[in-house]
Amino acid sequence: MADLHLVVDRAAGGVAAQIARELREAVRRGRLAAGVRLPASRELARDLGLSRGVVVEAYEQLVAEGFLISRTGVGTTVAPAAGRPAALPGGLSQPPDSAPSPADPGPTSPAEGREPYHGRRSTAPDLGAFPRERWLASMRRTLATLPVEALDYGDPGGVPALREELAAYLGRVRAADVVPDNLVIMGGVAQGLSLTVQALAGRLPRVRARYDLDWFVQRVEHPAPSPGRILLAVEDPAGVRQLPLLRAAGADLVAVPVDDEGIDVGALAESGARAVLLTPAHQYPTGVVLSPRRRAELIEWAVATGAMILEDDYDAEFRFDRDPVGCLQGLAADRVVLVGSVSKSLAPGLRLGWAVAPPRIAESLRLARGELDMGSPVLEQYVLADFVATGDYDRHLRRMRRQYRARRDALVLALGEHLPEITVRGVSAGLNLLAELPYGWDEASVVDGAEECGLAVEPVGPMRYAPGPPALLMGFARLPRHRADQAVRALASALGARGELRFRLETPG
């Protein structure tokens, strides 16, 4: 068991993060070699004069990042591949211009010339917390037990093992009404939305499906649009990144306002839309949860008009201050297409998602995937199936909820102390919060100032169809607790010291 020399500044706060950083650096520089056993958390806590929970938190973070391995009865050891990388020609351990690894917090000051670890997208998860060790264990089990024929071209709708695990998970956690046959594996939410819109717009040739989609067109009470197009309602405000994708898939978009209860169903009914895309669990970007009254009205509208609801299950995994809310699909499985992914819960680079749809649409989606790209990579699907089946996915989500909640609380506390002019909303779930700015503050200027201070922010103005108050989305998933106060204090100082550069004051009327 190795003795450790760790420098901890208790006055600076974020002690667990300091311990993790010290150990991470020791592994990288070779001071802790692969296979070395670390002191038990209780012993290290006693040596440092800290609570055991602080050391456990640091160890858990490094296990998730793949630097350490923790086994019952064996203890915590340095992972085999976590040490100093092999030397390159010229004696370098890595190319001089290489970027830090995802687990590396990197510099906090933009003056140091690198992207802050906090990232630029307010919706980004903490990629350093990806459960590498547990994912690797699922990968090894999969490779050791997978039949040879399973590596051949699979069902384009997804391998049965994953569809079965996800169907059970969504039924248990999201109260979805789903069977494996109606769940299609997608390359993320974007592909699920694109193919669903194409199916509803009649762009997926009906000869390819066992079921045609005439039932959908005939039951809609509004006049049919031009061939290959569908009038799709979207929330106002809404994310802008998916709008080009929806238009390319055949959607003509109409904006419907969102208030404190979610989407305005009365305005939706007046829009003439034949389908609606919404984020009921945690509306993007306002953070509003669709109220029970609006949920009932929305289902009633869909049933009465024969319209379809596209439910993006955005941020449903990360709830903090409210009871779980089931998905809309569980209330009306024949009128809702539920799309989701592991992009926020695990990592967007996995490109694994799903669409739960009525049988006719599910079959059309499955066959479309077969013609477009032959389906998703099968090995990753089997690994995810194992990861869910063993309970590791649930355990990972529970751990990340604790971490994200603590980071959210730190950011909210810092904003209240240093920028009390800002009103914070949408904090009950998700990876970001809505910061409403006082009248006259210029979003773009505040975004520039926040990014200079290392915060992940995005202006809400470009997401609006109708004018609204200035506001920002502020991400906290990658913002360590001990850095939140420092970053917000720096932003408040910058805005106060250079107010004439940061704000464009406007006089009403």
Side-chain angles (χ1 to χ4, degrees), residues 22-75:
E22 289 276 315
L23 292 174
R24 189 185 296 114
E25 190 65 17
V27 173
R28 284 207 180 101
R29 295 186 178 278
R31 297 199 304 271
L32 285 175
V36 169
R37 184 181 175 192
L38 273 62
S41 57
R42 185 176 284 104
E43 295 178 8
L44 182 57
R46 184 170 55 247
D47 292 344
L48 297 175
L50 301 170
S51 69
R52 179 171 176 258
V54 172
V55 177
V56 169
E57 181 181 347
Y59 277 9
E60 286 183 346
Q61 176 64 28
L62 294 178
V63 169
E65 294 176 10
F67 285 94
L68 302 180
I69 297 173
S70 180
R71 293 192 179 96
T72 303
V74 177

Side-chain angles (χ1 to χ4, degrees), residues 178-201:
V178 53
V179 295
D181 285 346
N182 293 349
L183 188 151
V184 182
I185 300 302
M186 295 287 174
V189 167
Q191 186 181 51
L193 291 176
S194 175
L195 290 181
T196 300
V197 170
Q198 290 181 58
L200 297 181

